[in-house]
Amino acid sequence: QVQLVESGGGLVQVGGSLRLSCAASGRTFSHYAMGWFRQAPGKEREFVVAINWSGGSTYYADSVKGRFTISRDNAKNTVYLQMNSLKPEDTAVYYCAIHGQPYDSSYYYSTKYDYWGQGTRVTVSS
């Protein structure tokens, strides 16, 4: 059984930083891309960032490019999302997800990910 457990969300002021973590179990973590998505109140879930199986390639939504950084530690089965220069529009529930196919490169579509974490709430206050 695959499990993803997120942590690190919270309340932060505009311009502040947070680091999210997502610990995975139940699958050979190092074979799969990982993604972060978010869902703001009243909006659809959207792609934020993804990292390929090795950590050698990353893919960012334009809205977070230059402010967010994804990384992974395959020895710890964990993916991280460092969020800097946070804005009120970053307020959302953030979900990590593991890709459904090993070594696959279709990162942007939520339907390609087959297991999701429970979500962690990020609130940016102005």
Side-chain angles (χ1 to χ4, degrees):
Q1 180 73 14
V2 177
Q3 287 192 319
L4 301 175
V5 179
E6 298 126 338
S7 60
L11 174 65
V12 64
Q13 291 188 334
V14 170
S17 298
L18 282 175
R19 189 193 196 203
L20 308 183
S21 299
C22 173
S25 61
R27 181 173 283 179
T28 307
F29 181 76
S30 60
H31 292 182
Y32 293 84
M34 297 292 295
W36 287 94
F37 291 75
R38 67 187 180 186
Q39 187 165 17
K43 295 188 177 182
E44 293 186 353
R45 190 172 298 187
E46 65 175 0
F47 170 83
V48 177
V49 61
I51 188 167
N52 78 331
W53 59 275
S54 69
S57 298
T58 55
Y59 307 86
Y60 294 88
D62 288 343
S63 59
V64 306
K65 205 170 292 184
R67 300 187 298 119
F68 290 12
T69 303
I70 189 172
S71 61
R72 67 188 296 161
D73 185 338
N74 284 345
K76 295 183 178 179
N77 288 358
T78 302
V79 63
Y80 305 97
L81 180 61
Q82 178 67 42
M83 305 185 295
N84 298 330
S85 302
L86 283 161
K87 304 175 180 180
E89 51 264 42
D90 295 318
T91 295
V93 177
Y94 284 72
Y95 299 90
C96 72
I98 189 166
H99 205 283
Q101 295 294 326
Y103 310 115
D104 196 275
S105 59
S106 53
Y107 303 114
Y108 298 96
Y109 306 102
S110 61
T111 53
K112 298 296 185 179
Y113 298 81
D114 60 349
Y115 287 94
W116 295 76
Q118 79 285 359
T120 185
R121 186 173 301 276
V122 172
T123 303
V124 184
S125 65
S126 56

